[in-house]
Amino acid sequence: MVVSNSIKYDKKAQKRWLIRMIVSGVIILIYILFLTVYAYLFAGGKGDTLRDNGLLMLLFALASSLGTLTMPFFVISVVFFVGSTIYLKRLKKNHFEVPVDKKVYDYDLAKVPRTEKVENVYSRDSIVGGLLFLAAYIIFVAADIYYVIKWTSLGENGSIVLFVMMMMAHLFFAIFAVIMFRQKNTSKYIDVTDVGEYEDSRKKRYSLNGIIIILVITSVISSFGISLVFSMTKYVYKSRNGHYDKTIDDFKEKATMKVSSEDLIDGRWNDRITNTDKGENLSPELSFDKVEGADYYYVYMVDETANNWVHWVATDVKVEELSTGANKKEYRDSPEFKYIGPYPPEGDGDHVYTIYVYAMKAKPGRDREMEFDEPSLSGDYMYYDYLSISKMGDPNEYGNVIAYGYISGTYSK
C-alpha cells in the first residue's frame, strides 16, 4: 500500500537494521582477527605449518569468504540504521508519536498521533545539500582542469576530448546543487516528516542523509572515472614515448644523429681500443653531429653480445669530437668519463660493441647508480627508462634527449 504521506521507518525497522549491523560487524571483526593471526603466523615463520593444517586453512577460508561478502551488507545496514534513526528522531521533534509498527497506521503518517503540527523544520537541509554538491562540482572541475593542463602540456591533445566529456559528466553535481537550492522553497516542498494534505501539490524534499548518500555514491563513481581517465591517458602517453612494444632494432632505426669512428675499420674495432694483450685500452676516436639545444652529450658503449656489458660511460661531453685515448688524455681525471676496452673471452667468436651518443638538454631527472663493467641496460632502455626522463613524476616526463645516434662494430679474441 502506497500513500502520499507514507511512513518510511518504524521502531521495528530500526531494530532490524541495528541487529543486521551488529551481526555483520561481528563477522567482519572475526575475519579481521583471523587475518591478523594469519599474518602473525607467517611473520613468525610458521607459514608452512599453517598451510599443512587443513582445519585452520578451512576456517581462514570461511572467515575470509564471509568477511568479504559481509562488508557490503554491513555498509548497507549502517546506512539504513542511521537513516531510520534520524527519521524517527525528526518525527519526535515534529511532535509525532514515534511508530513502533507502521502497519498499525496503514503506513500513513497522517494517522500517527501528534501533539502539535509543525512544518518545514528541516528546509535548511536543502541549503546544506546544495552547498555540498556545489563544493563537489568545484573539486571535480578543478581535477578536470588539472588533467587537461597536465596532459596537453605533454603533447596529448586527445586529452581535450576526454576533458570535455568529464566536464559534461560533472555537470550532474551543478544541476543537483540547483535542485537542492530550489527545494528550500517551502511553498513547493515539504520535509519527508511533514504530513501536508492529500490535496497538497507540494513535493517531498530530499532529507540530509539521503543527500549525503547520493553525494557519496556519485563522488565515488566520478573519482573512479577520473582515475580511469588519468590511467588511460598515462598508458597512451607512455606507449608513445616509452619502450612498449619496441625492440632494440626499432630503436636504432629511429636514430637521427650520424656517429663515426676512425677506430672502426670495415666493421671491426681496432685492437688498440681493447683491454687485451694486443690493445692499449684507449677509448675510440668518435665524431658525431652537433645538435642544436643540446647542453652536453652522453656516450654509452656496451657489448650487446654479452647482455649489454658496459665498457664506456661518459656523462658530460660538451664537444662533438673525441680523440682516440681521450680517457687517458683530456678526460684522464674526470669521474664522469669511464672506459674499459673490449675483452671478450678467447674463442667466444665475434662480440658486437655498440656506442650510443645521446644529445641531452640537461642531466637526467631520475637518479641511477650506473653499473660499469657489468651487464646493464640496452641502448633503448637507457634512453627510455633513464636518460630521456627530464623530471620525476607520475608519469615520468620524456623529452630530455633531443637526438641520438649509434655506431656498431665487432671484435673477437
Side-chain angles (χ1 to χ4, degrees):
M1 178 181 180
V2 179
V3 296
S4 59
N5 300 304
S6 60
I7 303 171
K8 289 188 65 176
Y9 301 104
D10 54 27
K11 284 187 176 181
K12 281 188 175 181
Q14 182 193 33
K15 186 177 180 180
R16 284 196 296 269
W17 285 116
L18 176 61
I19 292 171
R20 291 165 184 161
M21 182 178 71
I22 292 173
V23 171
S24 57
V26 168
I27 292 173
I28 291 171
L29 285 175
I30 293 172
Y31 166 60
I32 293 172
L33 178 62
F34 267 85
L35 192 64
T36 303
V37 172
Y38 189 78
Y40 173 77
L41 290 173
F42 265 90
K46 299 179 181 179
D48 292 336
T49 304
L50 181 61
R51 290 192 192 96
D52 293 338
N53 192 314
L55 179 60
L56 282 177
M57 289 301 293
L58 178 61
L59 288 173
F60 176 77
L62 288 172
S64 178
S65 300
L66 283 172
T68 304
L69 293 172
T70 305
M71 284 181 185
F73 187 75
F74 174 74
V75 173
I76 292 170
S77 299
V78 170
V79 169
F80 279 97
F81 174 71
V82 172
S84 62
T85 301
I86 292 173
Y87 178 79
L88 294 178
K89 284 185 176 181
R90 288 191 167 187
L91 282 182
K92 186 175 182 180
K93 190 172 181 179
N94 282 14
H95 309 288
F96 283 99
E97 179 183 299
V98 179
V100 176
D101 186 349
K102 55 187 177 182
K103 290 181 182 178
V104 175
Y105 305 103
D106 295 328
Y107 305 92
D108 190 352
L109 186 59
K111 295 181 180 181
V112 178
R114 67 189 306 188
T115 57
E116 184 181 340
K117 183 175 180 179
V118 295
E119 200 173 70
N120 280 308
V121 175
Y122 305 104
S123 58
R124 65 183 180 279
D125 285 3
S126 298
I127 297 296
V128 174
L131 291 173
L132 288 174
F133 271 92
L134 184 60
Y137 176 66
I138 292 171
I139 291 170
F140 283 114
V141 166
D144 296 343
I145 293 172
Y146 170 74
Y147 164 81
V148 75
I149 291 175
K150 179 182 181 68
W151 291 107
T152 52
S153 67
L154 293 173
E156 289 297 328
N157 294 325
S159 62
I160 295 174
V161 176
L162 291 174
F163 166 73
V164 173
M165 291 174 65
M166 287 194 298
M167 286 289 289
M168 292 177 64
H170 294 150
L171 275 175
F172 164 81
F173 293 95
I175 293 170
F176 216 86
V178 172
I179 293 172
M180 292 296 99
F181 287 128
R182 290 184 62 184
Q183 287 191 0
K184 184 182 181 298
N185 189 337
T186 57
S187 65
K188 294 184 178 181
Y189 294 90
I190 55 176
D191 295 327
V192 292
T193 51
D194 289 337
V195 174
E197 303 297 337
Y198 280 98
E199 66 274 8
D200 200 330
S201 61
R202 289 180 295 177
K203 300 176 182 178
K204 298 285 186 179
R205 68 168 51 87
Y206 286 98
S207 60
L208 186 58
N209 56 306
I211 292 169
I212 292 174
I213 291 171
I214 294 171
L215 179 61
V216 169
I217 293 173
T218 52
S219 295
V220 168
I221 294 172
S222 294
S223 298
F224 176 76
I226 288 178
S227 176
L228 187 65
V229 168
F230 264 92
S231 298
M232 183 172 63
T233 310
K234 175 182 175 180
Y235 177 81
V236 171
Y237 171 77
K238 295 198 80 172
S239 69
R240 290 175 179 168
N241 298 282
H243 50 74
Y244 295 96
D245 303 321
K246 292 183 173 70
T247 66
I248 187 64
D249 292 329
D250 294 327
F251 176 72
K252 288 178 178 178
E253 286 178 4
K254 295 181 180 180
T256 56
M257 287 175 62
K258 182 180 178 181
V259 181
S260 61
S261 175
E262 294 176 356
D263 289 305
L264 184 64
I265 304 170
D266 295 329
R268 181 179 174 81
W269 289 109
N270 195 314
D271 282 330
R272 62 181 179 172
I273 76 160
T274 68
N275 189 30
T276 63
D277 52 359
K278 295 181 181 180
E280 302 173 56
N281 200 36
L282 302 175
S283 59
E285 185 276 336
L286 209 60
S287 301
F288 44 86
D289 295 337
K290 179 179 177 63
V291 177
E292 192 68 31
D295 285 346
Y296 74 105
Y297 302 92
Y298 193 109
V299 180
Y300 183 61
M301 179 180 182
V302 292
D303 179 353
E304 295 186 317
T305 308
N307 196 23
N308 298 297
W309 194 277
V310 182
H311 285 270
W312 191 3
V313 177
T315 64
D316 196 18
V317 175
K318 297 186 182 292
V319 294
E320 289 76 38
E321 291 185 11
L322 294 172
S323 61
T324 302
N327 61 316
K328 296 186 177 181
K329 298 176 186 176
E330 60 266 39
Y331 292 95
R332 180 178 62 251
D333 299 320
S334 173
E336 296 185 336
F337 196 104
K338 300 177 183 179
Y339 180 80
I340 295 179
Y343 55 96
E346 189 169 355
D348 202 36
D350 284 341
H351 278 226
V352 177
Y353 295 89
T354 301
I355 300 174
Y356 295 94
V357 180
Y358 307 91
M360 308 282 294
K361 288 181 184 177
K363 295 281 187 180
R366 168 174 284 179
D367 293 331
R368 177 180 175 82
E369 190 67 32
M370 189 61 222
E371 297 172 351
F372 182 72
D373 202 24
E374 293 180 24
S376 189
L377 300 177
S378 59
D380 54 339
Y381 273 74
M382 173 63 78
Y383 172 86
Y384 292 115
D385 285 1
Y386 176 47
L387 295 180
S388 194
I389 298 171
S390 57
K391 296 179 182 178
M392 290 294 288
D394 188 14
N396 299 310
E397 297 179 15
Y398 294 89
N400 202 29
V401 177
I402 304 173
Y404 65 90
Y406 74 98
I407 186 173
S408 290
T410 60
Y411 188 79
S412 61
K413 187 176 178 182

